[in-house]
Amino acid sequence: VEMNIVPILSEDEAFQGILVILNDISELKRLEQVRKDFVANVSHELKTPLAAISGFAETLLDEEGEKSNHVSEFSRIIFDETQRLNRLVNGLLELSRMESEKMELNVLPVDIGEVVQNTLNAVQQQHQSVNICFDYIPPPAGIVIDSDPVLISQVLSNLLDNAIKYSPKGGRIQVEVLDYADRVEINVVDQGIGIPSQEIPRIFERFYRVDKARTRKTGGTGLGLAIAKHLLENLGGQISVQSTVAQGSKFTCTLFK
Ligand code: ADP
């Protein structure tokens, strides 16, 4: 049951009583659960055929001997697209898991500067071929807070992947860790395409993408930021963004001490 309590005031604002409104939302809750189960089941069922398709496409690609141009080209496309679908299905399963169970956190004292440095190194390693320059500004002194390092790293990798995807060649990405009395902020700043201000409230929704055609090209799924937001909220933190079109974006992760 959802309850709203509203005070009843007379014209001269004198207190007259209260109005209690009770709403039966059990049907709504049930429908929400049906939706979540449906997404989880469909994603799960898609995994098996997908594994078969990408396996056979890969075999075709690796096959020795003469192949017509079409066969090579088409097997490459089938393989790439199944990889994308795989990322999507995995993202959906991950989101379903986060919604359905209370996420298990593995909380321990975390050196934030170190987690950020390690994540940045791993992401750079994966994107060696991109022509992007990374700057890391570590905190002036070590900051240790109780949190889950694996989740922090996952959030940061998502933000860094985006910063790379939406930056021009030769772009610069800056990562900084700021220490405040009550919180730590991790900023990922890029000089990429930016996000129009009217789109900003929506980019954390699942599947929301500003430019559908472009993201298809970059292989995005539209789930990265939804997952990052969920993860940070589970850690008691927040994510926010400031952005200017054609100048760049700054994503801020806040973790409270
Ligand atoms: P995607 O897989 O499409 O990148 P995300 O959930 O990670 O999905 O991001 C949602 C949308 O937000 C993206 O499609 C893109 O339009 C926008 N976006 C995210 N990060 C950036 C960024 N650093 N610069 C510009 N646009 C961004």
Side-chain angles (χ1 to χ4, degrees):
V1 177
E2 187 184 73
M3 184 162 73
N4 281 308
I5 302 177
V6 191
I8 305 171
L9 304 176
S10 65
E11 264 175 24
D12 54 358
E13 306 256 304
F15 182 73
Q16 304 250 295
I18 54 168
L19 178 65
V20 179
I21 305 164
L22 297 175
N23 258 321
D24 179 1
I25 55 166
S26 46
E27 180 60 9
L28 260 180
K29 284 234 145 138
R30 195 187 65 79
L31 285 177
E32 181 63 6
Q33 192 56 46
V34 169
R35 181 193 67 78
K36 287 179 183 166
D37 290 349
F38 176 75
V39 173
N41 291 337
V42 169
S43 315
H44 190 74
E45 291 302 321
L46 286 173
K47 281 195 80 87
T48 320
L50 254 178
I53 298 169
S54 73
F56 283 117
E58 201 174 7
T59 313
L60 275 180
L61 267 178
D62 293 344
E63 209 164 65
E64 304 279 324
E66 274 295 291
K67 267 182 284 185
S68 76
N69 279 345
H70 273 129
V71 172
S72 307
E73 186 195 340
F74 293 172
S75 10
R76 160 65 49 202
I77 295 173
I78 294 172
F79 182 70
D80 288 349
E81 291 296 308
T82 41
Q83 294 300 91
R84 202 165 86 81
L85 210 49
N86 250 325
R87 285 199 297 277
L88 223 145
V89 166
N90 287 335
L92 275 174
L93 280 172
E94 202 174 336
L95 269 173
S96 297
R97 226 178 3 248
M98 285 181 212
E99 285 179 339
S100 67
E101 338 166 337
K102 240 194 133 358
M103 242 178 111
E104 271 200 24
L105 300 180
N106 193 5
V107 175
L108 41 114
V110 182
D111 182 328
I112 297 294
E114 198 180 301
V115 171
V116 173
Q117 177 77 72
N118 291 343
T119 311
L120 190 57
N121 291 347
V123 170
Q124 272 183 288
Q125 194 77 30
Q126 283 163 13
H127 293 90
Q128 271 171 348
S129 56
V130 296
N131 176 11
I132 300 260
C133 177
F134 293 89
D135 279 336
Y136 175 43
I137 306 174
I143 312 169
V144 177
I145 60 169
D146 286 333
S147 195
D148 185 325
V150 176
L151 299 192
I152 297 176
S153 179
Q154 198 179 339
V155 170
L156 193 59
S157 308
N158 281 359
L159 295 182
L160 286 168
D161 282 344
N162 279 348
I164 295 169
K165 264 193 297 197
Y166 301 108
S167 283
K169 276 205 190 76
R172 183 175 279 275
I173 294 171
Q174 192 184 51
V175 180
E176 61 179 351
V177 177
L178 302 174
D179 192 10
Y180 296 94
D182 59 333
R183 66 188 194 279
V184 181
E185 280 183 11
I186 307 170
N187 290 320
V188 177
V189 187
D190 67 52
Q191 302 173 326
I193 59 172
I195 306 163
S197 56
Q198 72 274 17
E199 308 274 359
I200 285 183
R202 300 208 59 190
I203 56 168
F204 296 99
E205 292 172 16
R206 61 189 63 189
F207 293 123
Y208 195 79
R209 295 176 302 189
V210 174
D211 176 348
K212 313 267 180 292
R214 187 192 161 94
T215 359
R216 193 155 304 128
K217 248 189 0 235
T218 54
T221 59
L223 293 174
L225 284 180
I227 291 175
K229 181 166 188 268
H230 248 287
L231 290 175
L232 259 184
E233 284 172 358
N234 275 311
L235 292 173
Q238 288 167 1
I239 189 163
S240 62
V241 57
Q242 287 171 295
S243 187
T244 310
V245 170
Q247 285 189 22
S249 310
K250 170 176 168 182
F251 283 83
T252 301
C253 301
T254 307
L255 290 163
F256 294 95
K257 288 185 176 168

